[in-house]
Amino acid sequence: MATSSGMAADLDLSALLVEAALAGGAAIMPIYDGPVEAREKADASPVTAADEAAEAAILALLAAKAPQIPVVAEEAVSQGRVPETGARFFLVDPLDGTKEFIAKNGEFTVNVALVEDGVPVAGVVFAPAIGRLFLGLAGAGAREGRVEGGAVVSWRPIAARVAPAEGLVAVASRSHAGPDTDAFLARLPVVARVSAGSSLKLCLIAAGEADVYPRMGRTMEWDIAAGHAVLAAAGGRVERVDGTPLLYGKRQQEGDTDFANPWFVAWGARPSTFR
């Protein structure tokens, strides 16, 4: 894959993001294979040693290979370390789906994305426990890699599908679905509903395995930026509930914290009738 148009020509963006995500996964798995202890952060969300180890590995690699680009990372932000971002910055969620990690169901991911002018133009989502890695780059499409032994051993192109005539497959949060999600989906011709954890939901749509994912609840930009980039590169979209674009780098929001998202809906290559 080529680099994003806004990047220096000598930086292989896709290779860098894949390397960073694999480094995060390598830090996570030894901890996942043992007893997992979680602590509660100030916002009441759980954090484990795996979150911290993965973030340290990713930040070290990005600092070494792309020191000119600021990095907004979940655990650093939770400790008050927030860089000035400007038009271009990385968003890192070192372990998305901590509840899935604690439950040991394999549905957690490492997310690394590049944002340019409010848009996630490149992203990698890596699910280390199940060996699936998704890569998307604006203008170059999306691919899924199969990971074995800490390396990508094969790639295949992926694309969001046109909604089937028989109806939609909806994917919903395993841990956070509720009445608002149910009400939204009740208005659509949904023929099947599956649950999944973390940003895998966005990647299932990108891979043509589902059609719509409504998130009627709180998320942060680092939770979904990489998955958003993968889905957009695959021909899908992520929108606010009113159909306007979901943008990134949201600071000084009235009534909410920096980098918090509104409710949103992710779609595959859908007909306009499914708005």
Side-chain angles (χ1 to χ4, degrees):
M1 284 186 170
T3 60
S4 167
S5 60
M7 298 297 297
D10 61 349
L11 178 60
D12 186 337
L13 178 59
S14 57
L16 174 62
L17 295 182
V18 169
E19 185 179 0
L22 291 175
I28 287 170
M29 291 310 293
I31 300 171
Y32 182 67
D33 290 337
V36 175
E37 295 183 6
R39 309 186 310 277
E40 191 172 272
K41 295 191 287 190
D43 64 358
S45 64
V47 63
T48 71
D51 297 75
E52 296 163 340
E55 183 162 302
I58 294 167
L59 293 184
L61 191 147
L62 294 179
K65 298 198 172 184
Q68 73 278 21
I69 304 176
V71 183
V72 177
E74 179 180 10
E75 303 313 326
V77 171
S78 73
Q79 297 169 20
R81 302 195 306 274
V82 186
E84 292 298 321
T85 50
R88 179 186 301 143
F89 62 97
F90 289 116
L91 273 168
V92 171
D93 188 341
L95 200 169
D96 182 37
T98 302
K99 291 181 180 179
E100 281 68 39
F101 177 83
I102 294 168
K104 293 185 178 289
N105 66 16
E107 295 181 353
F108 57 89
T109 58
V110 179
N111 299 335
V112 187
L114 177 71
V115 172
E116 290 184 352
D117 297 321
V119 177
V121 296
V124 169
V125 175
F126 176 36
I130 59 176
R132 298 184 78 176
L133 183 146
F134 300 88
L135 167 65
L137 193 64
R143 294 187 288 173
E144 179 181 354
R146 182 166 59 89
V147 178
E148 295 179 1
V152 180
V153 297
S154 65
W155 289 101
R156 70 179 184 100
I158 58 173
R161 68 185 185 183
V162 174
E166 61 269 22
L168 307 176
V169 173
V171 61
S173 172
R174 187 176 299 284
S175 302
H176 302 286
D180 293 305
T181 298
D182 294 338
F184 179 88
L185 292 176
R187 301 194 298 270
L188 298 174
V190 174
V191 295
R193 179 169 168 174
V194 297
S195 296
S198 70
S199 53
L200 282 173
K201 294 180 288 294
L202 295 162
C203 296
L204 294 179
I205 300 175
E209 298 174 27
D211 305 293
V212 60
Y213 160 42
R215 180 56 188 260
M216 312 307 181
R218 186 175 182 80
T219 60
M220 303 299 289
E221 292 184 9
W222 47 77
D223 293 322
I224 66 165
H228 185 165
V230 171
L231 179 54
R237 70 189 81 183
V238 181
E239 303 171 336
R240 299 166 68 110
V241 174
D242 64 5
T244 57
L246 179 65
L247 300 176
Y248 293 76
K250 300 183 289 296
R251 309 289 293 268
Q252 299 179 337
Q253 300 190 87
E254 183 176 353
D256 212 338
T257 61
D258 288 357
F259 307 111
N261 290 323
W263 291 5
F264 66 85
V265 184
W267 299 93
R270 59 181 170 79
S272 60
T273 53
F274 288 149
R275 250 194 193 284

